[in-house]
Amino acid sequence: MALMLTDDVINNAIDTAPLARRLRGLRRKGQMRALLLVAPLMLFLLAIFILPIGMLLIRSVDNREVARTLPNTVSMLSSWDGKGVPDEAVYAALATDMKASSREDVAEIAKRLNYYETGMRSMLLKTARTIRNAKAPYKDAFIAADAQWASPRYWHLLRQAMPELTDFYLLAALDMSRDETGVITTVAPENAVHIDVLLRTFAVSASVTLLCLLLGYPLAALIARSKGGIANALLILVLLPFWTSLLVRTSAWVVLLQSRGVVNSALAWLGVIDPSQPLELIYNRIGVLIAMTHVLLPFMVLPIYSVMKSIPPVYLRAASSLGAPPLSAFWRIYLPMSMPGVSAGGLLVFILALGYYITPALVGGPRDQMVSYYIAYYSNQVTNWGMAAALSAILLVAVLILYAVYNRLVGIDRLRIG
Amino acid sequence: MNHSLSVERLLPILLWIAGGTVVVFLIAPIIAIVPLSFNAEPFFTYPMPGLSLRWYEEFLSSEVWQLALKNSIIVAVCTTLVSTALGTLAAIGLSRPECPFRATLTAILISPMIVPVIVSAVGIYYAFAAVGLLNSLTGLVLAHTAIGAPFVVITVTATLASFDHNLMRAASSLGATPVEAVLRIMLPIIAPGVVSGALFAFVTSFDEVVIALFIAGSEERTLPRQMWSGVRETLSPTIAAVATLLILFSTLFLATIQWLHRRAERQKLMH
């Protein structure tokens, strides 16, 4: 601001024009110096972090395999009127493409087309083997290799898989697909899995946030009203788990919650449960909720505490001296004043919970896995990059929107890290 | 009147009971696993039949665990060095009064803290596969540096917020070059922030498992990666022994961070 004013003043004074130029030059030099200092980390993150994630996200709409492997078919099919079965020329083009491409390329598009309809993979691989030695007329050769080539349905699917960009994976991640005419429909309930996963992720995160709030609020209040050494000691007891390795904490819960673990044997010893029928506390939703609440609780306690610390105790005393009973003083003064901390902690815990992978994978059952697990599953186990990328995109968008809300409410620069 | 007085007295007691229970919930699992690591038998129940150091012995004599420990230390140390250097430079740049686009640059630099780690891991896996960086310690260091450096940027920026830039002008008017001024004036003052940023980077790398799951092969297994398979496959008390050692580590780290905080507070008071 001061610099801009100086600029204006100097610019108006004609005889000091060279000075203004020098000043501007100096400022630009200062800006360059600042940017040069930021540049190494910026370039590093661009190469190691931003570019890789960009490449991954592109995979959610990228669809070049078919166009690359079947170029002749693609150009013939784009002028096809879509009525009945295509004519001999289209069959011939597909035969040419299949003869020209390697086994690996055919296998790749066979896998890709199998996402549209289970069974297309074996149909394509089988056809490719026979068609390599076939001669015209190709239409008969195709139908001889597999009778399904006489059905227009597969040509429609092939035409749908042609464009270089596709919304197939993003739609599939929301349990939707396009039918033969290109209209978006929801998939049959027995094949719908992803909406379930997304809702479950949301439900687990919301439950964990609620549990953290219920447990975290009184603890934060206790620390805030304690003094000196006691407050410090309590804070350290919150920070110790925060600093303890995530895997240590998760393995501790596995050890504690097992059917023959510490919790069950203690309950049996107390006579609460029958030793032969231990409680099922792990590899189910209960285990996930307990372990995730434990892991994320410090992220709730710390922001609420830091807001509560700044609430002057005189306000409560003033309320009670004006005749408010303690509960109503809490309800009408303390709670509203601590809300910024509650929303900061709640949002942070919810955002972090959405992306959790390790804890649910170790203490949850198959019905408790969250969206992160499916991202890992699609990229690691079945190598369907399109689906891994589409689910990543959905998770990322959800998290970024919530961080934008966090930024408006709290300020991202106040992100607490211990 | 009588009624409200009793509530007033009851409330702090209730608060202590509620808060105390939560503290027990936070601490108990960490405490409970420690004695189990000295159990003579491979069970996870109390009372323990006898004491023994056999699980520590198993940890120390197992090649797999020792390799994992060695890899973790190498990766964490390299990560700390690179991310502290890059992060401190960036923080100094960001806090210069004339730095343009500060908000945007900061947002990009701390984005690895915001993106869910599974998305980072899959993206890095996908890209590293293309350039042959999978199954290498170098790859792990690069990936861990990306997620560790933002912690350095944040802690150093926070320390620089209270730094008086007139000191730099004074240094240069006394004839110091910019590099000299940074090394002899700025760095000693922001050292607590740099050190706690470095500790954060170290712990982030030392505790990181999702990226290690994706990009490290069996030869590059880190300690958390080995614990992950241990908890998944055969849960043996060796896990409890490793956990106990790591708890000891985190207690030391926490103590160091607390000490740095207190030192910084005292410095602030002195100025």
Side-chain angles (χ1 to χ4, degrees):
Chain A
M1 195 63 204
L3 219 74
M4 274 164 61
L5 192 70
T6 330
D7 259 12
D8 280 348
V9 171
I10 291 171
N11 283 343
N12 290 337
I14 295 160
D15 54 336
T16 50
L19 190 61
R21 216 175 304 126
R22 267 184 62 197
L23 205 62
R24 265 200 303 275
L26 266 179
R27 195 175 57 182
R28 205 165 302 133
K29 221 170 130 188
Q31 287 183 340
M32 281 309 293
R33 213 174 269 166
L35 288 180
L36 269 178
L37 288 166
V38 176
L41 182 57
M42 189 58 85
L43 293 174
F44 181 88
L45 286 183
L46 233 92
I48 303 295
F49 183 76
I50 294 165
L51 197 66
I53 291 179
M55 280 165 69
L56 173 70
L57 293 183
I58 285 175
R59 284 301 297 248
S60 66
V61 291
D62 175 66
N63 192 43
R64 278 168 302 184
E65 298 113 307
V66 176
R68 203 174 47 217
T69 313
L70 308 174
N72 297 308
T73 319
V74 165
S75 68
M76 293 299 289
L77 269 183
S78 44
S79 52
W80 174 43
D81 61 3
K83 291 187 196 107
V85 184
D87 53 23
E88 169 67 17
V90 180
Y91 282 95
L94 183 54
T96 319
D97 286 334
M98 278 182 163
K99 285 179 183 180
S101 52
S102 70
R103 269 172 218 285
E104 290 77 26
D105 285 342
V106 174
E108 199 187 353
I109 60 156
K111 185 177 165 188
R112 168 75 185 79
L113 287 165
N114 209 47
Y115 298 153
Y116 278 109
E117 185 156 310
T118 321
M120 262 191 107
R121 183 168 174 273
S122 55
M123 171 182 167
L124 239 96
L125 290 178
K126 191 172 71 178
T127 312
R129 270 197 305 274
T130 23
I131 227 70
R132 276 182 205 283
N133 309 316
K135 288 191 179 64
Y138 286 110
K139 186 170 179 174
D140 298 334
F142 269 94
I143 294 168
D146 192 315
Q148 285 172 311
W149 286 113
S151 147
R153 175 171 173 73
Y154 296 93
W155 292 99
H156 281 287
L157 288 176
L158 200 58
R159 190 162 70 159
Q160 249 190 62
M162 279 170 12
E164 296 200 352
L165 286 178
T166 180
D167 55 9
F168 173 79
Y169 299 109
L170 287 167
L171 287 175
L174 299 168
D175 287 338
M176 292 191 277
S177 64
R178 286 180 187 275
D179 66 10
E180 282 157 47
T181 50
V183 178
I184 296 175
T185 53
T186 49
V187 304
E190 65 268 22
N191 296 326
V193 284
H194 298 118
I195 290 283
D196 244 25
V197 171
L198 294 172
L199 287 178
R200 182 190 310 161
T201 307
F202 190 84
V204 170
S205 304
S207 317
V208 168
T209 309
L210 201 66
L211 284 170
C212 282
L213 185 60
L214 287 176
L215 298 180
Y217 196 88
L219 178 54
L222 177 65
I223 305 175
R225 56 165 286 148
S226 301
K227 297 198 174 51
I230 295 177
N232 237 339
L234 286 171
L235 257 185
I236 285 182
L237 290 179
V238 175
L239 285 171
L240 183 64
F242 182 83
W243 275 90
T244 305
S245 157
L246 175 66
L247 270 164
V248 168
R249 286 190 278 167
T250 308
S251 3
W253 281 113
V254 175
V255 165
L256 292 178
L257 297 178
Q258 283 180 61
S259 55
R260 285 183 304 158
V262 177
V263 172
N264 266 314
S265 58
L267 289 176
W269 184 75
L270 288 169
V272 181
I273 57 162
D274 176 3
S276 61
Q277 280 174 313
L279 297 179
E280 283 177 30
L281 297 171
I282 199 169
Y283 309 123
N284 54 24
R285 190 63 57 90
I286 299 171
V288 173
L289 293 182
I290 294 177
M292 279 186 69
T293 302
H294 182 253
V295 169
L296 291 169
L297 191 50
F299 291 97
M300 183 68 90
V301 175
L302 296 174
I304 300 183
Y305 160 71
S306 70
V307 169
M308 283 176 171
K309 205 175 52 175
S310 63
I311 302 177
V314 276
Y315 283 21
L316 279 176
R317 255 178 274 146
S320 69
S321 79
L322 289 170
L327 275 179
S328 116
F330 167 77
W331 194 253
R332 296 180 56 184
I333 309 290
Y334 201 71
L335 189 64
M337 288 191 77
S338 62
M339 277 319 275
V342 169
S343 50
L347 266 171
L348 196 57
V349 167
F350 187 74
I351 296 170
L352 291 172
L354 280 183
Y356 255 61
Y357 171 55
I358 294 298
T359 312
L362 287 178
V363 299
R367 298 276 313 145
D368 309 306
Q369 299 308 322
M370 316 217 316
V371 64
S372 291
Y373 175 87
Y374 288 88
I375 294 175
Y377 167 79
Y378 278 119
S379 55
N380 246 353
Q381 274 167 281
V382 293
T383 354
N384 182 346
W385 286 108
M387 277 313 297
L391 288 173
S392 298
I394 290 173
L395 177 61
L396 192 59
V397 167
V399 165
L400 289 182
I401 290 174
L402 287 167
Y403 266 114
V405 176
Y406 184 91
N407 191 26
R408 281 203 76 128
L409 287 178
V410 195
I412 204 94
D413 48 326
R414 289 189 43 204
L415 207 60
R416 271 205 68 142
I417 47 168
Chain B
M1 193 63 204
N2 232 341
H3 169 75
S4 78
L5 247 181
S6 70
V7 172
E8 234 161 82
R9 235 176 253 161
L10 203 63
L11 267 181
I13 299 173
L14 282 177
L15 196 57
W16 263 107
I17 294 174
T21 316
V22 180
V23 169
V24 170
F25 170 71
L26 273 174
I27 293 297
I30 303 175
I31 306 281
I33 201 170
V34 173
L36 289 172
S37 68
F38 297 103
N39 198 343
E41 300 297 327
F43 308 128
F44 290 114
T45 49
Y46 291 105
M48 301 189 298
L51 295 179
S52 149
L53 285 174
R54 58 190 276 210
W55 310 113
Y56 289 88
E57 210 180 295
E58 201 167 296
F59 170 65
L60 290 172
S61 60
S62 149
E63 266 174 46
V64 183
W65 281 105
Q66 288 306 304
L67 177 68
L69 176 64
K70 202 181 90 189
N71 284 338
S72 267
I73 292 175
I74 294 174
V75 171
V77 168
C78 296
T79 298
T80 306
L81 292 176
V82 183
S83 53
T84 307
L86 294 180
T88 306
L89 278 184
I92 293 175
L94 284 177
S95 64
R96 284 180 79 109
E98 62 272 61
C99 179
F101 325 113
R102 184 174 297 135
T104 315
L105 291 177
T106 312
I108 298 173
L109 291 183
I110 66 167
S111 61
M113 284 173 67
I114 285 168
V115 173
V117 66
I118 188 79
V119 176
S120 317
V122 174
I124 290 172
Y125 173 56
Y126 183 66
F128 278 15
V131 293
L133 270 171
L134 294 183
N135 305 336
S136 75
L137 291 183
T138 316
L140 264 182
V141 170
L142 292 176
H144 282 182
T145 301
I147 57 163
F151 291 97
V152 181
V153 173
I154 285 195
T155 53
V156 178
T157 309
T159 323
L160 277 168
S162 58
F163 179 76
D164 185 357
H165 281 269
N166 285 325
L167 289 174
M168 300 301 277
R169 248 169 265 152
S172 80
S173 78
L174 291 170
T177 64
V179 176
E180 265 176 342
V182 165
L183 288 180
R184 298 184 53 184
I185 308 290
M186 187 186 263
L187 265 188
I189 292 176
I190 63 168
V194 177
V195 174
S196 62
L199 287 180
F200 269 110
F202 187 89
V203 171
T204 304
S205 166
F206 203 71
D207 191 26
E208 200 290 321
V209 60
V210 182
I211 292 176
L213 268 174
F214 275 85
I215 70 170
S218 58
E219 283 302 299
E220 297 78 27
R221 278 189 175 204
T222 56
L223 210 52
R225 172 75 182 76
Q226 183 61 29
M227 282 188 81
W228 158 273
S229 5
V231 177
R232 275 207 131 176
E233 290 145 24
T234 50
L235 188 64
S236 96
T238 316
I239 298 280
V242 181
T244 305
L245 292 175
L246 287 177
I247 291 167
L248 198 70
F249 254 131
S250 44
T251 314
L252 286 176
F253 270 119
L254 180 59
T256 318
I257 289 278
Q258 289 288 320
W259 178 74
L260 284 169
H261 268 301
R262 226 159 281 158
R263 223 188 74 148
E265 297 279 304
R266 244 181 291 137
Q267 267 186 353
K268 238 182 252 168
L269 286 180
M270 267 157 48
H271 283 303

